Structures are given as C-alpha cells and as structure tokens.
Amino acid sequence: MEQVNGDTLAAARKVVAVHINYPSRAAQRGRTPAQPSYFLKPSSSLALSGSPVERPAGCELLGYEGEIALIIGKAARRVSIEDAWSHVAAVTASNDLGVYDLRWADKGSNLRSKGGDGFTPVGPALLPADAVDPSKLRIRTWHNGELVQDDTTGDLLFPFARLVADLSQLLTLEEGDLILTGTPAGASVAKPGDVLEVEVETIDGSLSTGRLVTTVEEGTTTLADFGAQPKVDDLQREEAYGSREAAGLAPVAEQAQAPAAVAPALSPELKAKLESVATATLSSQLRKRGLNNVSIDGLQGTRPDRRVVGLARTLRYVPNREDLFKIHGGGFNAQKRAIDSVNEGEILVMEARGEKGTGTVGDILALRAQVRGAAAIITDGGVRDYTAVAGLDMPTWFANPHPAVLGRRHIPWDTDITIACGGATVQPGDIIVADSDGVLVIPPAIAEELVEDCIQQEKEEAFIFEMVKQGNSVDGLYPMNKEWQAKYKAWEGQAND
C-alpha cells in the first residue's frame, strides 16, 4: 500500500479543515451547525508519521484531534455532490493539533493556534478512494496507549462528498490538497513526553492506514514579545479537555448557568399586549404594586422612534485591574460571549456601574448583536463608535458616547447573573420594556396581571381625555369619583355595543 511521504506533503498547496462534523462532537460542544464551516492550515504544518511536534514554550493546552484526511486527486471546481468523490485520490489518518493558548489572538482563523510547524501530521499509509466506502470508515485515536476516540463515518453531519462539492463552489481544489474532515468526541490535551496515535480503517478491517504516531516535545524558545502571548482561562481549558470535569475544574454554580437559565416567559400574546400600552402606564401599575425601583435611569436611546419588549440577558463589568484584565479581558471574553450568544428578541443589559469614562460596546459588537437578532442593548456606561451604533436598526440605550475602549475602566467579568444597571436590579429572564419615555424592568411573574390592568387603565384614561376635550373639569374626573365612574361604565358599554 502506498505510503505518505515527502512528495505527498510537497504536493499539498492548501489544507482545509472542517470545524464540526461528527454528531458526538456536536453534542459535546453543545451546537450543531446547519452548514459546514472551515478554516485553513498552512501546508508548512504538515508532517510525517514519527515526527515530533513541539508544544510552544509558555503554552499549556496542546490539543489533539484525530481526523480522516481526504487527498484531492484531480482538480475540482463547481462539482456536484454526485461527482465529488471521483475527485478524491485517497484517504489517510491525520491529527489536527493546536494550542488553545493562542486561540484568543486570531479567533476564527486559527492561524497561530493551529498553524504551527508539525501541527498537521498525516499518514502513514494511503487508502485509495476507489477502494473504500466513505460512509464505512472508522477513526480511532490513542493517547499514551489508551483509546480515547472511536467513531465511524456512518452518520456524519456533512458526508465527505458534500464537503468536496461545497468547497469547490468558491475555490478550486487542486491535486494534492488535503481536507481534514472533523474530529469525533474524545479529543483532549497532550503534554510533553506523550505519544499520540491515529488510525483510519474500513469498518470491516480489510484496509488500514496503520497508526500515525506523533510524540510531543516541550518547546525551548519563548515567543517574542512583539507578537501574541499565550493566555488561557477556564473556558479554554474546558473546551480543550472536552469538559470541566476532564480539565479538573469545579462544576459551574447553577445560578451562573444561562442562557439556559433564562425562562421563556414572554409569549407572543403577552409581548403584543406589552407593546400596546404606554411605558408611563406600566410604571404607574408597577408603583401600585409597591415596585418603585424598576426603572433603569439616566440613559438615552439611539432610536427614540423605537419601542422594544424582550427578555433580559445580562453582562457585568468590574473595575479594571491590570493583572486581571490580562486573564479576563482579551480573547473570547465575557463581553464577546454575551454578544455572541444573545438570541432573537432578547435584550442584552450591561452593568457598567454608571462609569461614563469609556465605551462598553462599539459598532462591530453592536452589529453582531443585531445580526444575532437582539432586540436592543442597554448599558449604563458609554458607547464607542456612536455614529455607527446609532445608524443600526437595533436600538441601544446608553449613558453617553465615549471614544475609549472598555479596558480603560472595565473588565468583562460574567454573564447571565443578577446585575445592577442604571439603579435597577435586573435578572436574566426579566421582561424589559424600553422606549423614548424610559426603560422598565418587569418581573415575569406579574406581567400578565400587570398588562391587563394597564389595558384597563388606558381605556379609562381614553374616556377621561374625551371628557376633558368636551370641556369638563378634571375635578372629580381625574381620578374619577363615583359619579364619573358610573358615567364611564355607561360609556364603556356603548363602546362595546
């Protein structure tokens, strides 16, 4: 059987990797993509079986992911799914290595985190594409001799032919190019001295690549300070190891878990009713129930013509402390996680302690929230890139414009917890109503009763308005005494006839 050699690596002009493709991995990550997505790895990351890989000095989390690699045999451009497999020459084993410590530096492209020399070992043998059924392959990975990954290609989210066809729609797949087709559950972290092995075989065991062997070594040359430095937190540890338990981390406290903690307390019918009544009426009815501290004060809106009603998601900033900002401020921090997880119709409420000396959101993240379907952003801090933020269809309520980045005064700390914003306490799942009159926080438990009383109050006020318009004095009419209440009942009866 033909072996992967230096010529095989030299022929690869590009290496394309798929993010999530195995249902087991999707379940582990908690997200199932509707369409395949990809990133590029440089061809200089390719290595042969038996080659060592260096964990860069200062890095903690060298992740491994056993994968099946496709090797293109003839150029593919705008091919169909039916024809795609004929453009594949062979399959082999691969290991998609990367350091989570540098993930923050170019989130999405993965260039520094997954593009290092030796970070894509392949081999040792090639299985001819025309000799295998792509839906009947098995992938296994061993870590220091222990089997840690074992899955088949029978139920992939995106079968191999679909990947080839999809990629070929926009770019030419050239002879020798490699496609890494995703990893199953079980990927984890390797340390210097560890041995990793990956094997691909047919389910019936008749053909095998043999084991692709990679030994991890400790890097001795530190990264220069003119580039990104290694940085990890518990989120990266959890993702690298596959779970908090595997990473040796304590379970997350129940109250800190949300978006799942946000209850779906806003039905379309309730939302429509809340949209139909004035904010002033809601405030009046809240006050009648003894709720005097439910308005978020001191803010202005970018869209005074807009009225929004939605469930709260929350984000808290703490005062900047430089040593903590290095750990919590960069990369996919709490601010970006909050923005990137806000759902259709939700309102992201930020606690910035009323600090006006810096921005808490700018144009790019506000745009991302709008694309995610957020109904609004509310912050008691500043807004950067004010003109661009104000130009978005999604409204933002804020204390003032300010050009400084949030790191001047804030560290994004945690999400979906009870916060304070503009003098009001806000919990995840609270109902927020905001317009040019102000911003109110409505406890979900009383919302149905509250809005019905608001509708009734506005009917009464419509009657009072009409009576004043006809020349009547407000004495005894506003509020109505018994005489006027009787007249209102008669007026209401006529209106309902």
Side-chain angles (χ1 to χ4, degrees):
M1 189 174 297
E2 186 178 352
Q3 300 291 298
V4 174
N5 54 35
D7 291 339
T8 309
L9 305 190
R13 298 183 62 179
K14 54 184 171 289
V15 180
V16 184
V18 178
H19 281 109
I20 294 179
N21 198 14
Y22 286 79
S24 61
R25 180 69 161 179
Q28 185 181 44
R29 289 295 199 202
R31 59 183 185 273
T32 301
Q35 301 292 342
S37 62
Y38 314 92
F39 60 94
L40 284 169
K41 299 189 76 170
S43 57
S44 56
S45 70
L46 292 167
L48 296 171
S49 181
S51 302
V53 67
E54 182 181 285
R55 187 182 74 175
C59 290
E60 172 189 336
L61 303 174
L62 176 67
Y64 60 82
E65 300 175 4
E67 305 201 12
I68 298 173
L70 312 182
I71 300 178
I72 299 298
K74 63 179 179 178
R77 178 71 167 118
R78 296 196 177 110
V79 301
S80 66
I81 292 178
E82 293 72 22
D83 183 48
W85 190 246
S86 68
H87 291 261
V88 178
V91 301
T92 192
S94 65
N95 198 336
D96 182 15
L97 297 163
V99 281
Y100 282 74
D101 312 61
L102 292 173
R103 214 172 170 204
W104 69 271
D106 40 17
K107 179 74 174 176
S109 77
N110 292 329
L111 179 61
R112 279 172 283 199
S113 62
K114 289 203 170 212
D117 288 354
F119 278 21
T120 316
V122 293
L126 297 170
L127 305 184
D130 58 6
V132 302
D133 182 338
S135 68
K136 295 181 179 179
L137 295 174
R138 185 183 188 189
I139 172 91
R140 288 184 293 175
T141 303
W142 292 264
H143 184 183
N144 293 332
E146 179 185 355
L147 182 64
V148 292
Q149 290 185 289
D150 188 355
D151 212 330
T152 70
T153 57
D155 60 351
L156 292 177
L157 300 175
F158 313 111
F160 294 161
R162 178 174 172 181
L163 299 177
V164 174
D166 182 39
L167 286 166
S168 77
Q169 302 310 297
L170 290 174
L171 56 100
T172 299
L173 294 172
E174 301 164 298
E175 182 179 354
D177 286 351
L178 276 78
I179 302 174
L180 308 187
T181 57
T183 194
S188 190
V189 173
K191 295 179 171 58
D194 289 355
V195 177
L196 303 169
E197 299 170 282
V198 184
E199 181 182 19
V200 175
E201 63 179 355
T202 55
I203 289 178
D204 63 11
S206 61
L207 293 174
S208 170
T209 62
R211 293 195 184 185
L212 168 68
V213 180
T214 305
T215 302
V216 181
E217 296 180 347
E218 180 69 271
T220 57
T221 304
T222 58
L223 298 175
D225 59 9
F226 51 73
Q229 298 299 300
K231 179 169 57 177
V232 297
D233 55 24
D234 285 351
L235 174 65
Q236 296 305 319
R237 293 185 179 95
E238 178 181 352
E239 294 213 343
Y241 281 93
S243 68
R244 293 185 66 84
E245 181 181 8
L249 301 172
V252 177
E254 183 176 342
Q255 64 270 24
Q257 294 179 0
V262 178
L266 187 60
S267 67
E269 296 76 18
L270 177 57
K271 183 173 183 288
K273 289 178 181 179
L274 288 167
E275 289 171 339
S276 73
V277 296
T279 304
T281 309
L282 288 165
S283 179
S284 175
Q285 287 295 331
L286 286 164
R287 183 171 172 78
K288 285 182 179 180
R289 288 162 171 79
L291 293 170
N292 296 307
N293 299 296
V294 288
S295 63
I296 298 177
D297 296 334
L299 307 185
Q300 55 186 305
T302 59
R303 295 293 305 272
D305 58 316
R306 294 289 300 279
R307 176 180 174 85
V308 298
V309 178
L311 293 181
R313 295 285 299 279
T314 60
L315 167 65
R316 180 170 69 111
Y317 297 106
V318 298
N320 186 26
R321 204 179 89 184
E322 288 75 8
D323 62 320
L324 294 176
F325 192 90
K326 290 178 181 178
I327 301 171
H328 297 275
F332 200 50
N333 59 32
Q335 179 202 42
K336 293 177 182 176
R337 294 198 302 273
I339 292 286
D340 220 45
S341 65
V342 67
N343 296 312
E344 184 80 27
E346 293 177 338
I347 296 174
L348 181 57
V349 185
M350 301 179 177
E351 174 187 336
R353 310 176 312 283
E355 170 53 60
K356 300 179 180 180
T358 190
T360 55
V361 69
D363 57 347
I364 292 176
L365 293 185
L367 175 61
R368 176 59 178 160
Q370 176 174 288
V371 170
R372 291 279 306 173
I377 291 175
I378 297 172
T379 173
D380 61 356
V383 163
R384 293 184 73 225
D385 313 305
Y386 169 74
T387 301
V389 173
L392 296 176
D393 185 58
M394 178 197 70
T396 295
W397 276 263
F398 62 102
N400 61 286
H402 200 284
V405 296
L406 68 87
R408 180 170 183 250
R409 298 282 174 83
H410 301 300
I411 305 173
W413 198 255
D414 44 14
T415 61
D416 292 301
I417 60 167
T418 301
I419 64 168
C421 181
T425 297
V426 182
Q427 294 191 302
D430 281 345
I431 297 173
I432 305 295
V433 178
D435 61 13
S436 56
D437 271 354
V439 182
L440 292 176
V441 182
I442 299 175
I446 68 168
E448 290 280 2
E449 172 194 324
L450 180 81
V451 76
E452 293 299 333
D453 287 351
C454 287
I455 292 170
Q456 180 60 35
Q457 179 180 327
E458 292 196 345
K459 286 181 181 178
E460 294 175 0
E461 290 179 350
F463 168 75
I464 293 169
F465 185 87
E466 182 62 29
M467 295 302 101
V468 172
K469 186 177 179 181
Q470 293 177 14
N472 291 284
S473 170
V474 295
D475 185 25
L477 173 62
Y478 187 51
M480 290 186 288
N481 57 24
K482 289 184 179 180
E483 180 182 351
W484 275 112
Q485 286 174 357
K487 291 179 180 180
Y488 166 72
K489 292 295 183 182
W491 176 84
E492 184 181 33
Q494 293 174 357
N496 292 331
D497 287 343

